[in-house]
Amino acid sequence: MRDNWSFVFAAYGLAALVLGGYWRRLNRRERELAALEHRRGAARAELRTRPSTPQR
Amino acid sequence: MKDPQRALGWLAAIGLAAGLVVAFGIAPREATQGNVQRIMYLHVPAILVAYLAFGVVLVASTTYLWRRAAGADRLAHASAEVGVIFTAINIATGSIWGKPTWGTWWTWDARLTSVSIMFVIYLAYLLLRAMLEDREQAARFAAVLGIVAALDIPLVHFSVYWWRTLHQPPTVLRPGSIPMDATFVAALTINLAAFALLYGYFVAKRVRLLKREQEVLA
């Protein structure tokens, strides 16, 4: 039987693409959450430091 | 090591590299199929790890319904997602392997059909989780589906015994010894271990992300 290397490389390439793509998706989500946490933390800190409006 | 998840990631990467070396450098060319048989080192570990992932979904879903532990729900969610990824790899590589050996990309054979049904069921599981806004309700419904869906795993595995199929009988999970030369078995075992480590890494990372998502978006 012929060796069909192109099929072997297609299978391994596709698997690498799927696994790599999933890994990248997880990392991107991690960065998004970190940015969101950072923004929320900064907003909370700003609220704490802002002088309160004088009461009339 | 400070971060066990990172250590698991490195172990998985080393395992995958070792798996490639063994699959392409050490395992011999198969006499009947030629080098295309090397797809086996990818195709078989992918489905075995998918079985593991869906088994974990079953256990975690049962635990969730019993104890209402949020951690068990997160584990079931993460494991189902990673299991779907490995099932997709199994179906795609099987199709690529089928063309040169069977002469077709796809056939409605019992094994191929049952594994596709399993893939669709777990996709539906993930869709269900994404569709329901009430987190408690989503967890409860998904847990029930996660338990029912596990019934398909033995159907997939034993389909080659119960029906006449084009697909060969199981090579690894079978009674008696494995009908392969020791070098092939070693290559398969190393790749299986690497995939299992990768599964562990992905699930650990996903569980951590789910927990963080719930905290941040609460």
Side-chain angles (χ1 to χ4, degrees):
Chain A
M1 193 170 190
R2 284 175 56 218
D3 275 329
N4 293 300
W5 276 112
S6 57
F7 287 90
V8 179
F9 292 133
Y12 277 83
L14 191 71
L17 215 65
V18 172
L19 293 173
Y22 184 65
W23 182 62
R24 281 188 58 167
R25 183 176 167 269
L26 292 182
N27 283 334
R28 195 177 58 228
R29 188 71 187 135
E30 204 169 24
R31 283 196 302 274
E32 281 169 4
L33 283 173
L36 195 64
E37 275 173 339
H38 181 74
R39 275 202 302 275
R40 288 204 172 168
R44 269 198 294 270
E46 197 186 313
L47 275 175
R48 273 198 300 271
T49 53
R50 191 183 292 172
S52 56
T53 47
Q55 298 285 317
R56 292 193 176 181
Chain B
M1 180 100 38
K2 274 182 188 170
D3 188 353
Q5 183 198 298
R6 209 178 176 83
L8 198 58
W10 278 110
L11 274 176
I14 293 166
L16 288 173
L20 281 175
V21 169
V22 176
F24 286 93
I26 297 172
R29 181 183 184 276
E30 208 263 345
T32 317
Q33 292 189 30
N35 281 314
V36 79
Q37 174 272 340
R38 293 181 201 276
I39 294 176
M40 180 186 77
Y41 306 121
L42 194 58
H43 179 72
V44 176
I47 195 62
L48 293 179
V49 170
Y51 286 166
L52 168 73
F54 299 143
V56 169
V57 174
L58 169 68
V59 174
S61 299
T62 313
T63 309
Y64 177 76
L65 287 181
W66 185 27
R67 296 269 175 90
R68 300 283 157 170
D73 176 55
R74 285 193 290 267
L75 177 62
H77 187 170
S79 194
E81 199 173 285
V82 179
V84 163
I85 300 279
F86 280 106
T87 310
I89 289 174
N90 171 262
I91 293 173
T93 54
S95 178
I96 294 171
W97 193 5
K99 182 64 183 165
T101 49
W102 296 344
T104 181
W105 296 102
W106 185 263
T107 176
W108 292 104
D109 152 288
R111 170 57 75 83
L112 276 67
T113 308
S114 59
V115 85
S116 304
I117 291 170
M118 184 173 82
F119 178 67
V120 172
I121 290 174
Y122 283 96
L123 264 187
Y125 172 96
L126 295 176
L127 272 176
L128 177 78
R129 300 199 74 113
M131 274 163 51
L132 293 172
E133 283 187 10
D134 180 351
R135 198 193 303 155
E136 216 285 312
Q137 190 186 39
R140 209 171 56 245
F141 285 10
V144 174
L145 184 55
I147 293 168
V148 175
L151 293 174
D152 195 43
I153 302 171
L155 192 76
V156 172
H157 188 70
F158 293 107
S159 59
V160 283
Y161 292 122
W162 294 341
W163 292 282
R164 199 151 51 142
T165 64
L166 191 57
H167 195 285
Q168 67 173 72
T171 313
V172 181
L173 293 178
R174 51 175 278 145
S177 60
I178 298 173
M180 276 192 302
D181 183 77
T183 326
F184 292 105
V185 177
L188 196 58
T189 309
I190 290 168
N191 278 284
L192 177 61
F195 269 42
L197 285 168
L198 188 64
Y199 161 79
Y201 170 68
F202 278 159
V203 168
K205 202 172 169 71
R206 190 69 183 106
V207 163
R208 200 143 96 170
L209 270 178
L210 283 167
K211 188 166 188 280
R212 219 163 143 193
E213 270 173 17
Q214 286 167 2
E215 285 164 0
V216 172
L217 305 173

